[in-house]
């Protein structure tokens, strides 16, 4: 039965959120504990909480952009079908009733499979389909899932329909109704595990989501929901859960552990606050971490108030890893207490896909494969993004050209029509490619894997120089004469590829021998030095416009236009309308890496 938010909101604090009752029989793990010691049964109990995060619409071990089995340099595998096999193995080892399975968010966005059932054949349609992620997670038997920020990308109606289709609660203690400030989703769920001695173990799962939703999906949530800080809400709910008899408190947090924000002071609350929650809020035993897309098998944070370790773990994104929190409890003085917690991760590339899951969603998979392989045009030559992080390549120029042309057309006839239009884009994927000859939806969509929309902002020449200097921090400082390895030249300060922007319409050099902040030289527009006071229209995605990456000036700049359609769809429609992609019409080398004026490449 799907979790009913309205029923939850009407319950009392005593009944709490959804209650999952484990069975009554002794299990292999519990029975072994009794057999290993002679005499009275030891008053101990062990159980395991499994966790995933940032699944991003991955069910199959399949890359819809390349139309083949997923693979990367580390030969990772992805998808819930693989996770299901690992879950089955853990349940067989531990005993089904000695396990829980939870998730830390970002579930319904990220692949063409999830996009198809949000936009092409939407789950919100009358008699619409059941979302593939709901089908798979229900079949695997999830007990609870926290909300991620990407859950809001398609709007609240899609999220509510997905929530309705899930057999487990979506948790978000810091997702509040903007008017009443009451929980908009279940804050927590409570689960009972039957033990061979003493009373049942009550395990509380508190869900926390990312406060950045208020900025990143402002168009979808403004005036409807508000998102206070994780620490604040954890401090409110953890004592409540303990007073309700929770023996174990686990937090599922769609928030990294670093204590930083990629938005600087744009965010009113810390974006990656899981470590701070562990440190500041007493009474938490473990935290399943999400959002950061990093692998942390086990990370211990000492709580300031109690001095006790809180165990954190973040499994790698897309179903590449499954976290296991192994708990050992002891029974004394009429209560259970946690004696030991340890965490580790399992790699999904060690197992085969669960045929139960692949059979369940085979029709949906085939529909999406057919959809992404539709031919929408042709290209006069092949283009690749492989060198995009270090060179001005045609395939990134294509994104920028489409964006600039779209904005120029949108502003025609307005007071801004005479201003020059510039555009920003990143190398979102180093494997994106447009082939010579026929071009499909998946080819075009592969250039832009995110759900970003487009805006036009007003910037000056001086502001654009600052913007480019900030972007150029991405390169590792390399002295003249030093050997250059392209593979080691980028991602300085752990800056991801999607936070390095090339600006289309300007020409400039990036001197990587200079310190960050002093790298942009020869900045020109149409052959002339850029006037610091000159005004430009800047085509920019909504992520950057709302502060994503903490780039300067853009969030405060005057908005001239905005669009609700994804950039990806704009590219697809542009290709359909043009029929032919000809790089000769838009591609040129306008930026390059240099050292003391000498080109690096």
């Amino acid at each position: 039965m799907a979790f009913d938010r309205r029923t939850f909101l009407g319950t009392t604090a005593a009944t709490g959120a959804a209650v999952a009752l484990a069975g009554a029989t002794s299990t292999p793990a519990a029975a072994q504990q009794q057999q290993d010691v002679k005499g009275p049964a030891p008053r101990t109990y062990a159980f395991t909480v499994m966790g995933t995060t940032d699944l991003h619409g991955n069910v199959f071990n399949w890359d819809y952009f390349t139309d083949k089995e997923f693979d990367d340099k580390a030969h990772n595998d992805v998808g819930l079908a693989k996770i299901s096999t690992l879950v089955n193995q853990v349940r067989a080892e531990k005993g089904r009733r000695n396990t829980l399975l939870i998730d830390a968010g970002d579930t319904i966005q990220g692949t063409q499979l999830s996009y198809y059932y949000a936009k092409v054949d939407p789950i919100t349609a009358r008699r619409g389909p059941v979302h593939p992620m709901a089908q798979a997670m229900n079949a695997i038997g999830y007990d609870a899932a926290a909300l991620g920020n990407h859950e809001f990308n398609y709007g609240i109606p899609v999220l509510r329909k997905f929530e309705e289709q899930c057999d487990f609660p979506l948790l978000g203690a810091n997702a509040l109704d903007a008017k009443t400030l009451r929980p908009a989703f279940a804050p927590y769920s409570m689960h009972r595990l039957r033990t061979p001695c003493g009373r049942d173990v009550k395990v509380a799962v508190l869900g926390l989501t990312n406060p950045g939703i208020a900025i990143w999906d402002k168009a979808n949530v403004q005036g409807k929901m508000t998102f206070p800080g994780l620490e604040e809400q954890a401090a409110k709910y953890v004592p409540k859960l303990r007073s309700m008899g929770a023996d174990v408190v686990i937090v599922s947090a769609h928030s990294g552990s670093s204590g930083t924000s990629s938005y600087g002071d744009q965010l009113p609350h810390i974006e990656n606050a899981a470590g701070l929650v562990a440190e500041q809020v007493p009474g938490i035993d473990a935290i399943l971490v999400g959002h950061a897309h990093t692998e942390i098998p086990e990370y211990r944070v000492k709580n300031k108030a109690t001095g006790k370790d809180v165990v954190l773990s973040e499994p790698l994104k897309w179903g590449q890893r499954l976290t296991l929190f192994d708990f050992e409890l002891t029974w004394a003085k009429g209560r259970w207490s946690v004696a030991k917690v340890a965490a580790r991760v399992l790699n999904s590339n060690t197992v085969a896909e669960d045929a139960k899951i692949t059979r369940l969603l085979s029709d949906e998979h085939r529909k999406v494969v057919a959809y992404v392989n539709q031919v929408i045009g042709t290209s006069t030559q092949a283009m690749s993004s492989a060198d995009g992080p270090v060179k001005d390549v045609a395939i990134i120029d294509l994104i920028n050209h489409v964006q600039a042309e779209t904005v120029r057309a949108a502003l025609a006839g307005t007071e801004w029509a005479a201003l020059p239009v510039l555009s920003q884009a990143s190398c979102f994927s180093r494997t994106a490619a447009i082939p010579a000859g026929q071009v499909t939806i998946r080819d075009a969509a592969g250039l832009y894997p995110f759900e970003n929309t487009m805006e036009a902002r007003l910037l000056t020449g001086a502001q654009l120089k600052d913007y480019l200097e900030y972007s150029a921090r991405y390169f590792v400082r390399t002295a003249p004469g030093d050997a250059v390895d392209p593979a080691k030249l980028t991602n300085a300060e752990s800056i991801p590829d999607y936070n390095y922007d090339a600006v289309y319409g300007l020409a400039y050099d990036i001197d990587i021998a200079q310190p960050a902040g002093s790298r942009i030289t020869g900045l020109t527009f149409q052959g002339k030095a850029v006037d610091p006071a000159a005004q430009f229209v800047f085509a920019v995605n909504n992520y950057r416009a709302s502060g994503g990456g903490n780039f300067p000036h853009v969030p405060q700049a005057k908005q001239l236009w905005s669009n609700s359609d994804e950039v990806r769809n704009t590219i697809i429609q542009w290709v359909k309308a043009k029929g032919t992609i000809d790089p000769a019409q838009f591609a040129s080398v306008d930026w390059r890496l240099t050292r003391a004026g000498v080109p690096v490449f």
Side-chain angles (χ1 to χ4, degrees), residues 439-455:
V439 177
T440 63
I441 284 177
R442 68 177 171 84
D443 296 324
L447 304 184
Y448 218 109
F450 298 105
E451 312 300 325
N452 296 343
T453 57
M454 204 185 332
E455 298 188 16

Side-chain angles (χ1 to χ4, degrees), residues 30 48 69 86 131 158 288 353 404 416 418 440 449 477 483 491 503 546:
T48 296
E69 184 176 309
L86 291 175
H131 199 290
V158 170
L288 177 66
E353 292 184 314
W416 315 108
T440 63
R477 190 176 184 183
N491 307 103
V503 173
S546 62

Side-chain angles (χ1 to χ4, degrees), residues 177-191:
D177 181 276
K179 294 179 181 177
T180 66
L181 299 184
R182 295 183 65 198
F185 296 85
Y188 57 85
S189 57
M190 193 76 78
H191 310 266

